[in-house]
Amino acid sequence: MTTESLIRDLEWAGAAGCASCRSDLCHHQVLMSIYLGFRDAPRCWLCLADSLGLPAPVLRDRMI
């Protein structure tokens, strides 16, 4: 992955919104989605946690 492709992904995903609930995404949520394998369908942190079967605070703490 190049810096340019990461920037394009961040811009695209931020404009598209969460693949599950359609809420707006910040760049942190997009980066978490990419890291966790949801590059083509980024999710907000609540939907990421739900899709992984984790409580949202547990996912947040693990990502930190």
Side-chain angles (χ1 to χ4, degrees):
M1 171 179 281
T2 65
T3 302
E4 291 82 14
S5 68
L6 180 59
I7 291 170
R8 277 193 306 273
D9 287 349
L10 290 171
E11 291 172 350
W12 169 80
C18 175
S20 295
C21 71
R22 295 291 173 211
S23 65
D24 293 334
L25 295 174
C26 72
H27 289 151
H28 298 100
Q29 293 168 326
V30 176
L31 288 172
M32 285 191 297
S33 292
I34 291 170
Y35 178 76
L36 293 170
F38 294 94
R39 178 188 198 109
D40 295 330
R43 291 168 170 79
C44 68
W45 76 281
L46 295 173
C47 291
L48 275 172
D50 187 53
S51 68
L52 296 170
L54 296 171
V58 170
L59 175 63
R60 179 200 60 219
D61 292 347
R62 287 185 183 176
M63 293 300 296
I64 291 172

